[in-house]
Amino acid sequence: MPWFTDLSAHGDRPPYATPPLDLRSSVLPRAHGMDAGQQPLVTLQVTADRVHGREILRGLLHAVLFHRLLGIIKPATIEVLDVTIPKIDDPKIDAMVNAKADALIVTFADRVTKKSWFSSGEEDVTWEQWLLDITAVAHPIPASNAEAFTNAQSDMLTRALRIILEHTSSDQGRAAVPRIKDLSGVSPFPWRIEVRVGSVELAA
């Protein structure tokens, strides 16, 4: 993406510049628990302005949940920066998504029974995690570049949604999903959203 500058506001000084928009993505295997190849960590790191950052993050979270809550759902859509994003029509999910901000970690797990000589119990074994991270542009966007910057953010959001779709429909993405045992709710598996502030993770 281009750098956006405002030459008129600085006279002889170096032009005011904001960083280029950036989208970084990666899919890394988890190194513990079940087969590492079945527990990917999917990371989406997006650079956006302060006006649209949280809106973009909520849109990405809705898209991840739409593709990964594999139970009985009522599909819907929302519009973010003129991009249509799939979501689940559920008031509880809406409330969770709207309450989150900054960096999010979404964990999907399988509840398995662990047996020992003297007892048995259940534990949640992670099969996939998503890290959604928004980095805000440090400076205000000059008015002369606002429209171009917003259009660039829209394009970046479209590419991020494509990454989500490509992963969830890929061989690796499908292989990560455990056997579905229950279809009575929106998700057959335990899942949770955690908020990350800096390097600290806070439970949802």
Side-chain angles (χ1 to χ4, degrees), residues 65 68-73 88 93 108-109 127 180 182-191:
L65 296 180
R68 276 312 195 217
L69 297 184
L70 303 173
I72 300 174
I73 65 169
I88 296 171
I93 292 178
F108 301 97
W127 55 266
I180 296 177
D182 181 14
L183 283 175
S184 60
V186 295
S187 176
F189 306 111
W191 62 283

PDB file of all heavy atoms in Angstrom, residues 65 68-73 88 93 108-109 127 180 182-191:
ATOM      1  N   LEU A  65     -16.178 -16.612  13.898  1.00  0.00           N
ATOM      2  CA  LEU A  65     -17.218 -17.380  14.595  1.00  0.00           C
ATOM      3  C   LEU A  65     -18.204 -17.993  13.611  1.00  0.00           C
ATOM      4  O   LEU A  65     -18.673 -19.121  13.808  1.00  0.00           O
ATOM      5  CB  LEU A  65     -17.948 -16.483  15.594  1.00  0.00           C
ATOM      6  CG  LEU A  65     -17.093 -15.934  16.744  1.00  0.00           C
ATOM      7  CD1 LEU A  65     -17.942 -15.052  17.656  1.00  0.00           C
ATOM      8  CD2 LEU A  65     -16.445 -17.051  17.541  1.00  0.00           C
ATOM      9  N   ARG A  68     -16.555 -21.085  12.272  1.00  0.00           N
ATOM     10  CA  ARG A  68     -16.054 -22.084  13.211  1.00  0.00           C
ATOM     11  C   ARG A  68     -17.064 -22.548  14.267  1.00  0.00           C
ATOM     12  O   ARG A  68     -16.814 -23.533  14.947  1.00  0.00           O
ATOM     13  CB  ARG A  68     -14.795 -21.552  13.897  1.00  0.00           C
ATOM     14  CG  ARG A  68     -13.501 -21.776  13.094  1.00  0.00           C
ATOM     15  CD  ARG A  68     -13.445 -23.182  12.619  1.00  0.00           C
ATOM     16  NE  ARG A  68     -12.146 -23.623  12.154  1.00  0.00           N
ATOM     17  CZ  ARG A  68     -11.975 -24.437  11.130  1.00  0.00           C
ATOM     18  NH1 ARG A  68     -13.033 -24.843  10.441  1.00  0.00           N
ATOM     19  NH2 ARG A  68     -10.778 -24.866  10.790  1.00  0.00           N
ATOM     20  N   LEU A  69     -18.182 -21.878  14.444  1.00  0.00           N
ATOM     21  CA  LEU A  69     -19.232 -22.397  15.325  1.00  0.00           C
ATOM     22  C   LEU A  69     -20.121 -23.289  14.482  1.00  0.00           C
ATOM     23  O   LEU A  69     -21.014 -22.827  13.784  1.00  0.00           O
ATOM     24  CB  LEU A  69     -20.022 -21.244  15.963  1.00  0.00           C
ATOM     25  CG  LEU A  69     -19.205 -20.329  16.876  1.00  0.00           C
ATOM     26  CD1 LEU A  69     -20.106 -19.287  17.529  1.00  0.00           C
ATOM     27  CD2 LEU A  69     -18.448 -21.113  17.939  1.00  0.00           C
ATOM     28  N   LEU A  70     -19.871 -24.575  14.539  1.00  0.00           N
ATOM     29  CA  LEU A  70     -20.371 -25.514  13.534  1.00  0.00           C
ATOM     30  C   LEU A  70     -21.679 -26.181  13.918  1.00  0.00           C
ATOM     31  O   LEU A  70     -21.986 -27.274  13.460  1.00  0.00           O
ATOM     32  CB  LEU A  70     -19.297 -26.578  13.263  1.00  0.00           C
ATOM     33  CG  LEU A  70     -17.944 -26.017  12.817  1.00  0.00           C
ATOM     34  CD1 LEU A  70     -16.898 -27.124  12.746  1.00  0.00           C
ATOM     35  CD2 LEU A  70     -18.063 -25.306  11.477  1.00  0.00           C
ATOM     36  N   GLY A  71     -22.465 -25.513  14.754  1.00  0.00           N
ATOM     37  CA  GLY A  71     -23.751 -26.078  15.148  1.00  0.00           C
ATOM     38  C   GLY A  71     -24.890 -25.523  14.318  1.00  0.00           C
ATOM     39  O   GLY A  71     -24.730 -25.168  13.148  1.00  0.00           O
ATOM     40  N   ILE A  72     -26.057 -25.449  14.935  1.00  0.00           N
ATOM     41  CA  ILE A  72     -27.238 -24.920  14.250  1.00  0.00           C
ATOM     42  C   ILE A  72     -27.255 -23.406  14.418  1.00  0.00           C
ATOM     43  O   ILE A  72     -27.354 -22.897  15.540  1.00  0.00           O
ATOM     44  CB  ILE A  72     -28.520 -25.545  14.840  1.00  0.00           C
ATOM     45  CG1 ILE A  72     -28.490 -27.067  14.662  1.00  0.00           C
ATOM     46  CG2 ILE A  72     -29.758 -24.951  14.178  1.00  0.00           C
ATOM     47  CD1 ILE A  72     -29.636 -27.775  15.351  1.00  0.00           C
ATOM     48  N   ILE A  73     -27.136 -22.687  13.340  1.00  0.00           N
ATOM     49  CA  ILE A  73     -27.040 -21.234  13.409  1.00  0.00           C
ATOM     50  C   ILE A  73     -28.044 -20.580  12.460  1.00  0.00           C
ATOM     51  O   ILE A  73     -28.542 -21.210  11.522  1.00  0.00           O
ATOM     52  CB  ILE A  73     -25.622 -20.740  13.043  1.00  0.00           C
ATOM     53  CG1 ILE A  73     -25.305 -21.057  11.566  1.00  0.00           C
ATOM     54  CG2 ILE A  73     -24.574 -21.344  13.966  1.00  0.00           C
ATOM     55  CD1 ILE A  73     -24.054 -20.384  11.046  1.00  0.00           C
ATOM     56  N   ILE A  88     -23.339 -14.703  12.747  1.00  0.00           N
ATOM     57  CA  ILE A  88     -24.402 -15.525  13.297  1.00  0.00           C
ATOM     58  C   ILE A  88     -25.401 -14.604  13.981  1.00  0.00           C
ATOM     59  O   ILE A  88     -25.023 -13.747  14.775  1.00  0.00           O
ATOM     60  CB  ILE A  88     -23.834 -16.548  14.294  1.00  0.00           C
ATOM     61  CG1 ILE A  88     -22.909 -17.526  13.560  1.00  0.00           C
ATOM     62  CG2 ILE A  88     -24.960 -17.311  14.994  1.00  0.00           C
ATOM     63  CD1 ILE A  88     -22.137 -18.445  14.478  1.00  0.00           C
ATOM     64  N   ILE A  93     -24.055 -13.882  21.158  1.00  0.00           N
ATOM     65  CA  ILE A  93     -22.806 -13.721  20.420  1.00  0.00           C
ATOM     66  C   ILE A  93     -22.574 -12.255  20.097  1.00  0.00           C
ATOM     67  O   ILE A  93     -21.449 -11.740  20.218  1.00  0.00           O
ATOM     68  CB  ILE A  93     -22.823 -14.572  19.140  1.00  0.00           C
ATOM     69  CG1 ILE A  93     -22.787 -16.061  19.511  1.00  0.00           C
ATOM     70  CG2 ILE A  93     -21.648 -14.221  18.230  1.00  0.00           C
ATOM     71  CD1 ILE A  93     -22.859 -16.996  18.340  1.00  0.00           C
ATOM     72  N   PHE A 108     -10.976 -22.671  20.198  1.00  0.00           N
ATOM     73  CA  PHE A 108     -11.959 -23.731  19.984  1.00  0.00           C
ATOM     74  C   PHE A 108     -11.367 -25.029  20.528  1.00  0.00           C
ATOM     75  O   PHE A 108     -10.205 -25.353  20.268  1.00  0.00           O
ATOM     76  CB  PHE A 108     -12.294 -23.875  18.498  1.00  0.00           C
ATOM     77  CG  PHE A 108     -12.855 -22.618  17.889  1.00  0.00           C
ATOM     78  CD1 PHE A 108     -12.035 -21.747  17.191  1.00  0.00           C
ATOM     79  CD2 PHE A 108     -14.197 -22.304  18.031  1.00  0.00           C
ATOM     80  CE1 PHE A 108     -12.542 -20.589  16.641  1.00  0.00           C
ATOM     81  CE2 PHE A 108     -14.710 -21.137  17.490  1.00  0.00           C
ATOM     82  CZ  PHE A 108     -13.886 -20.282  16.785  1.00  0.00           C
ATOM     83  N   ALA A 109     -12.162 -25.763  21.287  1.00  0.00           N
ATOM     84  CA  ALA A 109     -11.648 -26.960  21.958  1.00  0.00           C
ATOM     85  C   ALA A 109     -12.610 -28.127  21.778  1.00  0.00           C
ATOM     86  O   ALA A 109     -13.751 -27.963  21.347  1.00  0.00           O
ATOM     87  CB  ALA A 109     -11.430 -26.673  23.455  1.00  0.00           C
ATOM     88  N   TRP A 127      -8.229 -27.370  19.759  1.00  0.00           N
ATOM     89  CA  TRP A 127      -7.946 -27.840  18.403  1.00  0.00           C
ATOM     90  C   TRP A 127      -7.643 -26.696  17.433  1.00  0.00           C
ATOM     91  O   TRP A 127      -7.127 -26.932  16.345  1.00  0.00           O
ATOM     92  CB  TRP A 127      -9.061 -28.724  17.857  1.00  0.00           C
ATOM     93  CG  TRP A 127     -10.462 -28.194  17.848  1.00  0.00           C
ATOM     94  CD1 TRP A 127     -11.413 -28.374  18.805  1.00  0.00           C
ATOM     95  CD2 TRP A 127     -11.098 -27.428  16.800  1.00  0.00           C
ATOM     96  NE1 TRP A 127     -12.591 -27.761  18.438  1.00  0.00           N
ATOM     97  CE2 TRP A 127     -12.431 -27.184  17.207  1.00  0.00           C
ATOM     98  CE3 TRP A 127     -10.672 -26.933  15.562  1.00  0.00           C
ATOM     99  CZ2 TRP A 127     -13.340 -26.455  16.428  1.00  0.00           C
ATOM    100  CZ3 TRP A 127     -11.560 -26.210  14.785  1.00  0.00           C
ATOM    101  CH2 TRP A 127     -12.881 -25.982  15.216  1.00  0.00           C
ATOM    102  N   ILE A 180     -17.812 -34.251  15.266  1.00  0.00           N
ATOM    103  CA  ILE A 180     -18.942 -33.535  15.872  1.00  0.00           C
ATOM    104  C   ILE A 180     -19.879 -34.538  16.527  1.00  0.00           C
ATOM    105  O   ILE A 180     -20.373 -35.462  15.889  1.00  0.00           O
ATOM    106  CB  ILE A 180     -19.682 -32.698  14.806  1.00  0.00           C
ATOM    107  CG1 ILE A 180     -18.746 -31.599  14.261  1.00  0.00           C
ATOM    108  CG2 ILE A 180     -20.944 -32.076  15.393  1.00  0.00           C
ATOM    109  CD1 ILE A 180     -19.354 -30.770  13.156  1.00  0.00           C
ATOM    110  N   ASP A 182     -22.482 -33.419  18.880  1.00  0.00           N
ATOM    111  CA  ASP A 182     -23.730 -32.808  19.355  1.00  0.00           C
ATOM    112  C   ASP A 182     -24.052 -31.606  18.487  1.00  0.00           C
ATOM    113  O   ASP A 182     -23.209 -30.735  18.291  1.00  0.00           O
ATOM    114  CB  ASP A 182     -23.571 -32.383  20.817  1.00  0.00           C
ATOM    115  CG  ASP A 182     -24.842 -31.752  21.372  1.00  0.00           C
ATOM    116  OD1 ASP A 182     -25.898 -31.883  20.721  1.00  0.00           O
ATOM    117  OD2 ASP A 182     -24.768 -31.128  22.439  1.00  0.00           O
ATOM    118  N   LEU A 183     -25.270 -31.543  17.968  1.00  0.00           N
ATOM    119  CA  LEU A 183     -25.682 -30.411  17.130  1.00  0.00           C
ATOM    120  C   LEU A 183     -26.867 -29.675  17.745  1.00  0.00           C
ATOM    121  O   LEU A 183     -27.712 -29.139  17.037  1.00  0.00           O
ATOM    122  CB  LEU A 183     -26.055 -30.907  15.724  1.00  0.00           C
ATOM    123  CG  LEU A 183     -24.890 -31.253  14.798  1.00  0.00           C
ATOM    124  CD1 LEU A 183     -25.408 -31.855  13.494  1.00  0.00           C
ATOM    125  CD2 LEU A 183     -24.052 -30.018  14.496  1.00  0.00           C
ATOM    126  N   SER A 184     -26.931 -29.617  19.052  1.00  0.00           N
ATOM    127  CA  SER A 184     -28.094 -29.027  19.717  1.00  0.00           C
ATOM    128  C   SER A 184     -27.982 -27.514  19.890  1.00  0.00           C
ATOM    129  O   SER A 184     -28.966 -26.852  20.207  1.00  0.00           O
ATOM    130  CB  SER A 184     -28.294 -29.678  21.085  1.00  0.00           C
ATOM    131  OG  SER A 184     -27.152 -29.487  21.908  1.00  0.00           O
ATOM    132  N   GLY A 185     -26.809 -26.925  19.692  1.00  0.00           N
ATOM    133  CA  GLY A 185     -26.633 -25.487  19.890  1.00  0.00           C
ATOM    134  C   GLY A 185     -25.857 -24.859  18.757  1.00  0.00           C
ATOM    135  O   GLY A 185     -25.649 -25.477  17.710  1.00  0.00           O
ATOM    136  N   VAL A 186     -25.401 -23.620  18.965  1.00  0.00           N
ATOM    137  CA  VAL A 186     -24.672 -22.940  17.899  1.00  0.00           C
ATOM    138  C   VAL A 186     -23.285 -23.527  17.710  1.00  0.00           C
ATOM    139  O   VAL A 186     -22.681 -23.361  16.642  1.00  0.00           O
ATOM    140  CB  VAL A 186     -24.548 -21.421  18.177  1.00  0.00           C
ATOM    141  CG1 VAL A 186     -25.910 -20.757  18.173  1.00  0.00           C
ATOM    142  CG2 VAL A 186     -23.807 -21.152  19.472  1.00  0.00           C
ATOM    143  N   SER A 187     -22.743 -24.194  18.729  1.00  0.00           N
ATOM    144  CA  SER A 187     -21.424 -24.820  18.597  1.00  0.00           C
ATOM    145  C   SER A 187     -21.412 -26.175  19.281  1.00  0.00           C
ATOM    146  O   SER A 187     -21.836 -26.298  20.434  1.00  0.00           O
ATOM    147  CB  SER A 187     -20.340 -23.938  19.214  1.00  0.00           C
ATOM    148  OG  SER A 187     -19.076 -24.596  19.158  1.00  0.00           O
ATOM    149  N   PRO A 188     -20.920 -27.215  18.603  1.00  0.00           N
ATOM    150  CA  PRO A 188     -20.798 -28.524  19.241  1.00  0.00           C
ATOM    151  C   PRO A 188     -19.570 -28.626  20.142  1.00  0.00           C
ATOM    152  O   PRO A 188     -19.375 -29.645  20.800  1.00  0.00           O
ATOM    153  CB  PRO A 188     -20.669 -29.469  18.040  1.00  0.00           C
ATOM    154  CG  PRO A 188     -20.041 -28.643  16.975  1.00  0.00           C
ATOM    155  CD  PRO A 188     -20.565 -27.240  17.181  1.00  0.00           C
ATOM    156  N   PHE A 189     -18.743 -27.564  20.169  1.00  0.00           N
ATOM    157  CA  PHE A 189     -17.493 -27.588  20.920  1.00  0.00           C
ATOM    158  C   PHE A 189     -17.420 -26.407  21.885  1.00  0.00           C
ATOM    159  O   PHE A 189     -17.979 -25.340  21.626  1.00  0.00           O
ATOM    160  CB  PHE A 189     -16.293 -27.510  19.959  1.00  0.00           C
ATOM    161  CG  PHE A 189     -16.300 -28.557  18.887  1.00  0.00           C
ATOM    162  CD1 PHE A 189     -16.510 -28.202  17.560  1.00  0.00           C
ATOM    163  CD2 PHE A 189     -16.099 -29.895  19.190  1.00  0.00           C
ATOM    164  CE1 PHE A 189     -16.513 -29.156  16.564  1.00  0.00           C
ATOM    165  CE2 PHE A 189     -16.106 -30.854  18.200  1.00  0.00           C
ATOM    166  CZ  PHE A 189     -16.315 -30.494  16.878  1.00  0.00           C
ATOM    167  N   PRO A 190     -16.703 -26.577  22.998  1.00  0.00           N
ATOM    168  CA  PRO A 190     -16.452 -25.429  23.867  1.00  0.00           C
ATOM    169  C   PRO A 190     -15.604 -24.390  23.133  1.00  0.00           C
ATOM    170  O   PRO A 190     -14.721 -24.744  22.353  1.00  0.00           O
ATOM    171  CB  PRO A 190     -15.671 -26.044  25.040  1.00  0.00           C
ATOM    172  CG  PRO A 190     -15.894 -27.519  24.950  1.00  0.00           C
ATOM    173  CD  PRO A 190     -16.113 -27.818  23.512  1.00  0.00           C
ATOM    174  N   TRP A 191     -15.869 -23.136  23.395  1.00  0.00           N
ATOM    175  CA  TRP A 191     -15.070 -22.069  22.794  1.00  0.00           C
ATOM    176  C   TRP A 191     -15.083 -20.871  23.733  1.00  0.00           C
ATOM    177  O   TRP A 191     -15.953 -20.736  24.577  1.00  0.00           O
ATOM    178  CB  TRP A 191     -15.602 -21.684  21.408  1.00  0.00           C
ATOM    179  CG  TRP A 191     -17.006 -21.145  21.397  1.00  0.00           C
ATOM    180  CD1 TRP A 191     -18.166 -21.862  21.504  1.00  0.00           C
ATOM    181  CD2 TRP A 191     -17.402 -19.778  21.303  1.00  0.00           C
ATOM    182  NE1 TRP A 191     -19.263 -21.043  21.465  1.00  0.00           N
ATOM    183  CE2 TRP A 191     -18.828 -19.750  21.344  1.00  0.00           C
ATOM    184  CE3 TRP A 191     -16.712 -18.581  21.177  1.00  0.00           C
ATOM    185  CZ2 TRP A 191     -19.550 -18.564  21.271  1.00  0.00           C
ATOM    186  CZ3 TRP A 191     -17.431 -17.399  21.097  1.00  0.00           C
ATOM    187  CH2 TRP A 191     -18.835 -17.393  21.140  1.00  0.00           C
TER     188      TRP A 191
END
